[in-house]
Amino acid sequence: MKSPESSSKAQSRPSWDKYFLEIAKVVASRSTCPRASVGAVIVKDNRIIATGYNGSLPSEPHCTDVGCLVINGHCERAVHAETNAVAQAAKMGLAIDGATMYYYDSLNRPSGSCLKCSQVMAAAGIKRLVYLGGELDINWLKRLPSESK
């Protein structure tokens, strides 16, 4: 027979989505661009494959040290969290085809709002994208209008 204490623990246990979103929030705390703290966690079969946060390239100066390099409203010094997570998996030789990406942004912007990051995720085989506001269909790129002739 379960004790009342053990059943209350089971009821408060977070879903996998909530659990990995919380981890993405912790990953975001490593961000080195003061404009936003963003974290990404790539998960396959409920196991973390890679993480990434927005920040400068390895061994390059951080925005927090030398300031942001803002061009057209975007910091070009910082690599986006989604791209960093995909790059980390690639560097380690880890397959992410069919994986889920969990995304946290301190400004509460949905991932997928950056076309380049969406392209990287789609090309790498990310099939599902979860953020605080819900889920985004990673296949939205396939529905972009074709170029006018």
Side-chain angles (χ1 to χ4, degrees):
M1 181 183 210
K2 291 184 181 179
S3 70
E5 183 180 307
S6 67
S7 65
S8 68
K9 283 183 182 177
Q11 290 173 351
S12 64
R13 189 174 180 196
S15 68
W16 284 114
D17 284 351
K18 184 172 172 115
Y19 172 71
F20 291 122
L21 280 171
E22 287 296 318
I23 293 172
K25 184 176 181 180
V26 172
V27 171
S29 69
R30 294 280 306 152
S31 295
T32 62
C33 182
R35 299 179 80 230
S37 294
V38 183
V41 178
I42 299 174
V43 174
K44 194 167 183 180
D45 300 324
N46 290 332
R47 301 292 181 256
I48 296 172
I49 303 296
T51 64
Y53 53 86
N54 60 322
S56 301
L57 293 170
S59 74
E60 293 297 319
H62 298 295
C63 297
T64 51
D65 297 330
V66 297
C68 295
L69 177 62
V70 179
I71 300 172
N72 295 325
H74 298 284
C75 180
E76 298 298 331
R77 189 179 312 285
V79 178
H80 290 188
E82 307 94 311
T83 298
N84 266 330
V86 171
Q88 181 191 43
K91 189 174 182 177
M92 302 301 292
L94 301 170
I96 59 174
D97 191 44
T100 297
M101 182 175 288
Y102 292 87
Y103 174 86
Y104 171 83
D105 184 332
S106 63
L107 300 178
N108 206 27
R109 298 169 296 187
S111 181
S113 58
C114 172
L115 178 62
K116 293 298 179 194
C117 286
S118 295
Q119 290 170 327
V120 167
M121 289 185 283
I126 300 291
K127 296 296 182 209
R128 184 170 173 245
L129 179 63
V130 179
Y131 69 106
L132 286 176
E135 261 186 74
L136 287 178
D137 179 4
I138 200 70
N139 293 313
W140 71 270
L141 285 168
K142 294 177 182 173
R143 294 187 297 276
L144 287 175
S146 56
E147 185 179 339
S148 300
K149 295 189 178 185

